[in-house]
Amino acid sequence: MKTTGSETTKLSQGDNGDVQSLDRESQPILKAHSPLHYIQYILVGIFFGILLVKGEVISWFRIQEMFRFQSFHMYGVIGSAVLTGMISILLLKKFHVKALNGESMVFPVKKFSKGNIYGGLLFGFGWAMTGACPGPLYAQIGTGAVVVIFTLLSAIAGTWVYGLLQKKLPH
Amino acid sequence: MKELLDALSNPWPWYIVGPLIGLTVPLLLVLGNKSFGISSTLRHICAACVPMDIPFFQYPWRKEIWNLIFVAGIFIGAIIATTTLRSQEPIQVTDELRAELATYGITNMNGLVPTDLFNLHNLFTLKGFILMIVGGFLVGFGTRYAGGCTSGHAITGLSNLQWPSLIATICFMIGGIVVANFVLPYILRL
């Protein structure tokens, strides 16, 4: 509750303080934060969840086949997804497309750290065991594999422990 | 309508699913200037529920609620895909893998998650504990340490030509290949 309060003050402060972040918040897109605005994300999520299941991307078996080079399926999915994403971003940049709320698009920049390597390997180990990356964990539960709730809780615990140890880990 | 449902109920080929997954990236950008990345939701859940005094969880997570709503959608989508769009065909598993798994007593292929391994009873066995709890922990710890998962690095990052994402993706694959081929056989024998 306290945070909500301070956020509201922040919103009404206009151009004081952290200009960059306030800029986004203080524009007349305030209506963008109404509950109705969130419906679009649940719709995209539903669409994405259906894709994950119908494409068998969340299949433990498909993941094993991928890591054992027994099937092309997952390579086809990931490869064509990356290609489509790449072409899309290229076009969005080329034509300076703006987001629907009028903002200039922010394309995610990833900074290198040794965590990309260590963390990447550790995630790879977990991916092979559970047959799921984070998105599929949510989807697997939806397919009725209720026990995966425990895997998800453990993943949340893993993220929490990372947060706890962050400063002590090599980056 | 019924024919359409029937057609949609069959498993979808990679060349349909892959491009549609890729289109999620521009879709989220256009709709709300949002970056597609799912492992961050695990962090938001920590920040919302158990931030303690850990600096890593002190940030305005409420701004990221859209992402939590997105993953709630994934959950609902999966329910729809397994009920309304339920496939009449058995799930696809190559003969090679099928034969190999049979040697470990894994024969039930009715679901996308093998119930022979992932069930409540197994949670209390060493095998199940390693696969579900240790595996889950590594997914959560590893993705945050790596700064993203398959969606944030492999799809969004590579789409935006971020070389750290390429390194992360290669490491995901190396980690998975090593465990699937050289470690998992021992775990499955437990």
Side-chain angles (χ1 to χ4, degrees):
Chain A
M1 271 295 107
K2 222 173 114 193
T3 332
T4 324
S6 70
E7 259 182 14
T8 331
T9 2
K10 247 175 147 188
L11 289 175
S12 52
Q13 265 173 5
D15 49 15
N16 293 333
D18 181 3
V19 179
Q20 186 110 58
S21 68
L22 280 175
D23 204 30
R24 263 192 175 194
E25 295 287 349
S26 59
Q27 280 181 11
I29 15 151
L30 269 180
K31 66 173 192 317
H33 290 263
S34 71
L36 212 62
H37 159 82
Y38 287 123
I39 289 178
Q40 57 184 349
Y41 298 114
I42 206 160
L43 292 178
V44 181
I46 290 173
F47 173 66
F48 190 73
I50 294 176
L51 284 177
L52 290 182
V53 176
K54 297 313 293 183
E56 298 189 334
V57 177
I58 61 159
S59 163
W60 185 86
F61 303 101
R62 284 295 196 191
I63 301 303
Q64 299 307 322
E65 288 171 4
M66 168 175 74
F67 287 139
R68 288 151 195 254
F69 304 106
Q70 290 167 335
S71 153
F72 174 74
H73 183 81
M74 284 304 299
Y75 292 99
V77 170
I78 298 177
S80 58
V82 172
L83 197 69
T84 318
M86 233 178 235
I87 297 169
S88 308
I89 289 196
L90 202 78
L91 292 173
L92 291 176
K93 280 182 178 169
K94 189 170 156 67
F95 295 105
H96 304 284
V97 179
K98 290 220 188 305
L100 283 181
N101 55 18
E103 294 175 7
S104 303
M105 273 183 199
V106 181
F107 298 98
V109 173
K110 299 277 187 181
K111 242 181 92 187
F112 177 74
S113 89
K114 285 185 206 128
N116 295 146
I117 298 169
Y118 304 137
L121 290 171
L122 292 173
F123 164 51
F125 299 162
W127 193 5
M129 291 180 190
T130 61
C133 30
L137 283 178
Y138 297 103
Q140 285 183 343
I141 300 168
T143 65
V146 182
V147 73
V148 178
I149 288 174
F150 294 98
T151 311
L152 177 64
L153 288 174
S154 190
I156 294 169
T159 300
W160 190 84
V161 171
Y162 169 76
L164 187 70
L165 303 178
Q166 192 200 17
K167 293 275 184 285
K168 296 184 184 125
L169 295 167
H171 277 91
Chain B
M1 188 64 196
K2 190 174 178 299
E3 279 140 33
L4 180 71
L5 267 184
D6 283 348
L8 289 177
S9 296
N10 293 327
W12 301 359
W14 65 263
Y15 49 85
I16 303 282
V17 173
L20 288 176
I21 288 177
L23 284 178
T24 312
V25 175
L27 190 58
L28 289 174
L29 279 167
V30 169
L31 285 178
N33 210 0
K34 307 294 188 200
S35 288
F36 174 50
I38 297 174
S39 63
S40 319
T41 57
L42 303 173
R43 184 184 180 190
H44 305 329
I45 293 170
C46 289
C49 303
V50 273
M52 312 290 272
D53 280 329
I54 301 169
F56 189 66
F57 299 121
Q58 312 297 327
Y59 61 95
W61 58 269
R62 281 185 174 80
K63 273 189 189 170
E64 310 296 334
I65 285 179
W66 73 272
N67 210 349
L68 295 171
I69 290 172
F70 176 71
V71 296
I74 293 181
F75 170 74
I76 298 169
I79 295 176
I80 296 172
T82 28
T83 51
T84 318
L85 297 176
R86 185 171 197 86
S87 174
Q88 301 305 317
E89 288 178 40
I91 63 157
Q92 298 178 32
V93 181
T94 57
D95 294 339
E96 222 178 331
L97 184 65
R98 202 179 279 270
E100 195 186 328
L101 291 178
T103 64
Y104 305 113
I106 303 161
T107 49
N108 185 336
M109 295 178 186
N110 290 331
L112 295 171
V113 182
T115 40
D116 287 328
L117 295 172
F118 295 82
N119 59 56
L120 211 52
H121 172 261
N122 266 6
L123 206 54
F124 303 98
T125 65
L126 185 61
K127 178 162 69 177
F129 183 82
I130 293 175
L131 288 176
M132 290 179 262
I133 304 302
V134 177
F137 188 90
L138 287 171
V139 169
F141 186 91
T143 50
R144 205 66 273 125
Y145 194 2
C149 60
T150 328
S151 52
H153 270 311
I155 296 179
T156 310
L158 289 186
S159 293
N160 197 29
L161 310 176
Q162 299 295 305
W163 66 268
S165 292
L166 182 63
I167 292 176
T169 306
I170 291 171
C171 291
F172 300 164
M173 293 307 295
I174 294 175
I177 289 165
V178 168
V179 166
N181 290 284
F182 307 112
V183 182
L184 208 62
Y186 294 97
I187 300 174
L188 293 180
R189 250 178 242 141
L190 286 172

